[in-house]
């Protein structure tokens, strides 16, 4: 592997930073201490800092030379409401909160790049180091953009990275085009008319209507969207009734829809609504239809993806970059940034979990699992990627 020496030599400091953040996890928009740690490190290395963008977001700014060109490198910094099962020294000190998605490592990798870039200014232009809050459902990326991220910090392109368990350390995965899905949720209430269960003809049974709707919705996936397009429509909760001899007034269907394009999402939402309304109408019931779009699909831009692949190959070799990784139905709010700016998001292999020292829980080392731990071996690899990306993008004339 073609790692940057001074970063490799800085590994134990980066590990310390990562484990300190791991021990002090903070949830969506509460990342005060984490932001303090980041701002203190950046300031200590002579990097100007903007704070409070998107509530707790931090941006470090490293300028060099005279070029107007600029690039953004983004890390997320929030934790999850998960009770950690690990018992090693850096386990979470906060009950019910845990860095189970490795954002502690994402912060440390970007700090590693900041440390090196501030000392070796081998580029012409500006590097914006974006530390965003609330990736886990809070849409922190969008909040930073609403607070003027791209106007205060004008940049040509923006890049993101996430650790990926089950993929070998020293390898990367990426693909041009859609790489992660849009995430959306629905709650549909069927309003019927309650009755005695022995006299169903005197009511309008919302449970029968809800069942019809639930069945018919699956035909959207198989009969309405093109078979070439990918989508998932999952009903994850059905609530109705509380007695064996009472037909309830209403029934509720709750679930999620995932798609890789907004066009398919538009189609699914519109068809779900039509089926729900018309089915209810056919039975004399009504529906209250609520559909909420959370994160859009994450779509990598072709040119920036080709560029990222080239940089990755120069670090880990051609064979260790999967340039056509299978997209995942998971979601990521970096998608908002890629709607505004060209850029690319990559997966960095986190290994199988055998990096965990004694004291880890018994479960697998998957993201969002209570026995997960970020693999510290990745720190110099990820930091080297960030540095090479910035130096190559802002190459000196
Ligand atoms: Zn996560
Ligand atoms: Zn994550």
């Amino acid at each position: 592997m073609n790692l940057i020496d001074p970063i490799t030599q800085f590994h134990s400091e980066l590990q310390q930073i990562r484990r300190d953040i791991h021990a002090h996890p903070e949830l969506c928009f509460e990342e005060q201490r984490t932001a303090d740690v980041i701002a203190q490190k950046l300031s200590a290395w002579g990097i100007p800092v903007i704070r409070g963008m998107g509530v707790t977001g931090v941006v470090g700014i490293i300028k060099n030379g005279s070029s107007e060109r600029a690039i953004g490198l983004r890390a997320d910094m929030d934790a999850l409401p998960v009770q950690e099962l690990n018992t090693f020294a850096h386990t979470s000190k906060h009950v019910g909160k845990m860095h189970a998605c490795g954002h502690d490592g994402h912060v440390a990798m970007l700090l590693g790049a900041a440390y090196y870039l501030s000392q070796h200014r081998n580029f012409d232009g500006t590097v914006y180091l974006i530390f965003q809050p609330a990736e886990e459902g809070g849409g922190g990326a969008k909040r930073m953009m609403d607070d003027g991220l791209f106007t205060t910090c004008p940049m040509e392109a923006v890049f993101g990275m996430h650790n990926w368990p089950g993929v070998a350390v020293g390898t990367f995965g990426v693909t041009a085009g859609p790489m992660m899905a849009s995430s959306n949720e629905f709650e549909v209430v069927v309003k019927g008319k309650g009755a005695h269960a022995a006299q169903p003809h005197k009511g309008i049974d919302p449970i029968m209507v809800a069942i019809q709707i639930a069945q018919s919705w699956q035909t959207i996936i198989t009969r309405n969207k093109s078979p070439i397009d990918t989508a998932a429509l999952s009903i994850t909760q059905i609530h109705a009734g509380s007695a064996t001899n009472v037909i309830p007034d209403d029934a509720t269907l709750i679930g999620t829809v995932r798609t890789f394009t907004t066009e398919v999402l538009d189609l699914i939402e519109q068809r779900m609504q039509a089926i729900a309304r018309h089915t209810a109408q056919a039975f004399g019931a009504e529906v209250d239809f609520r559909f909420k779009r959370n994160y859009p699909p994450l779509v990598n831009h072709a040119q920036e993806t080709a560029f990222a692949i080239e940089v990755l190959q120069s670090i880990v070799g051609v064979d260790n970059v999967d340039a056509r990784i299978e997209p995942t139905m998971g979601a990521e709010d970096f998608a908002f940034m890629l709607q505004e700016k060209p850029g690319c998001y990559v997966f960095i292999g986190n290994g199988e979990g055998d990096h965990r020292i004694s004291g880890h829980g018994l479960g697998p080392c998957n993201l969002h699992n209570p026995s997960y731990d970020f693999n510290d071996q990745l720190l110099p690899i990820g930091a080297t990627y960030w540095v090479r990306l910035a130096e190559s993008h802002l190459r000196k004339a």
Side-chain angles (χ1 to χ4, degrees), residues 76 78 80 100-103 135-136 162 331-332 367-368:
D76 41 15
D78 57 319
L80 284 156
C101 204
H103 300 181
E135 192 288 317
E136 301 287 0
H162 205 294
E332 157 68 72
L367 297 177
H368 294 206

Side-chain angles (χ1 to χ4, degrees), residues 14 27 33 42 57 62 89 147 176 181 205 227 230 234 258 301 327-328 353 372 374:
L14 290 179
L27 303 182
R33 182 189 182 278
L42 295 176
I62 313 179
D147 275 3
D205 187 350
T230 308
S234 295
R258 307 289 172 114
H301 296 242
T328 147
Y372 168 89
F374 181 85

Side-chain angles (χ1 to χ4, degrees), residues 101-381:
C101 204
H103 300 181
D104 49 344
H106 300 169
V107 168
M109 291 192 291
L110 190 53
L111 282 175
Y115 168 76
Y116 179 88
L117 287 168
S118 68
Q119 294 195 344
H120 306 79
R121 295 169 176 255
N122 192 24
F123 60 90
D124 190 8
T126 305
V127 181
Y128 292 109
L129 310 150
I130 305 164
F131 297 88
Q132 76 144 77
E135 192 288 317
E136 301 287 0
K142 183 74 169 55
R143 285 289 279 276
M144 286 189 85
M145 290 162 63
D146 291 344
D147 275 3
L149 173 65
F150 292 137
T151 43
T152 311
C153 309
M155 60 192 78
E156 291 162 16
V158 65
F159 293 84
M161 167 161 54
H162 205 294
N163 77 94
W164 212 243
V167 173
V169 173
T171 69
F172 286 83
V174 63
T175 191
M179 181 151 130
M180 297 184 82
S182 71
S183 153
N184 319 276
E185 56 196 45
F186 58 84
E187 180 171 342
V188 177
V189 182
V190 178
K191 294 174 175 170
K193 193 175 147 203
H196 194 296
Q199 298 173 317
H201 58 291
K202 292 189 175 171
I204 297 170
D205 187 350
I207 294 177
M208 295 313 293
V209 181
I211 291 168
Q212 298 280 348
I213 292 172
Q215 305 253 42
S216 302
W217 275 348
Q218 289 308 318
T219 65
I220 302 171
I221 303 301
T222 61
R223 304 294 87 180
N224 293 145
K225 75 162 184 58
S226 159
I228 306 298
D229 291 323
T230 308
L233 191 174
S234 295
I235 298 163
T236 53
Q237 300 177 45
I238 298 183
H239 301 288
S242 56
T244 50
N245 55 357
V246 179
I247 291 169
D249 278 325
D250 44 52
T252 304
L253 299 162
I254 293 173
T256 183
V257 172
R258 307 289 172 114
T259 72
F260 285 120
T261 70
T262 308
E263 291 71 30
V264 173
L265 177 59
D266 290 343
L267 172 78
I268 290 175
E269 181 183 344
Q270 177 232 318
R271 288 294 302 143
M272 281 179 74
Q273 183 157 14
I275 286 172
R277 289 212 187 291
H278 295 308
T279 305
Q281 199 181 26
F283 289 92
E286 286 176 12
V287 283
D288 178 13
F289 186 90
R290 259 175 284 172
F291 195 97
K292 185 164 164 269
R293 298 186 180 202
N294 294 332
Y295 294 171
L298 184 143
V299 183
N300 276 333
H301 296 242
Q303 202 179 321
E304 285 66 27
T305 303
F307 168 69
I309 290 168
E310 213 175 287
V311 172
L312 288 172
Q313 288 176 340
S314 75
I315 299 166
V316 295
V318 176
D319 293 342
N320 291 318
V321 182
D322 183 350
R324 280 168 171 268
I325 199 167
E326 187 174 84
T328 147
M329 277 299 192
E332 157 68 72
D333 76 348
F334 186 66
F336 286 114
M337 294 195 183
L338 290 181
Q339 283 185 325
E340 290 271 311
K341 294 281 169 189
C344 175
Y345 182 82
V346 304
F347 291 144
I348 177 170
N350 195 53
E352 295 291 346
D354 47 5
H355 62 281
R356 290 176 298 179
I357 51 177
S358 61
H360 70 77
L362 296 174
C365 193
N366 288 339
L367 297 177
H368 294 206
N369 186 283
S371 342
Y372 168 89
D373 194 31
F374 181 85
N375 188 344
D376 285 320
Q377 277 179 279
L378 269 56
L379 294 170
I381 307 171

Side-chain angles (χ1 to χ4, degrees), residues 54-81:
V55 189
T56 48
V58 181
V59 182
I61 305 165
I62 313 179
K63 272 185 198 294
N64 196 54
S66 56
S67 169
E68 296 283 302
R69 302 193 62 193
I71 184 178
L73 312 176
R74 171 274 200 179
D76 41 15
M77 56 183 188
D78 57 319
L80 284 156

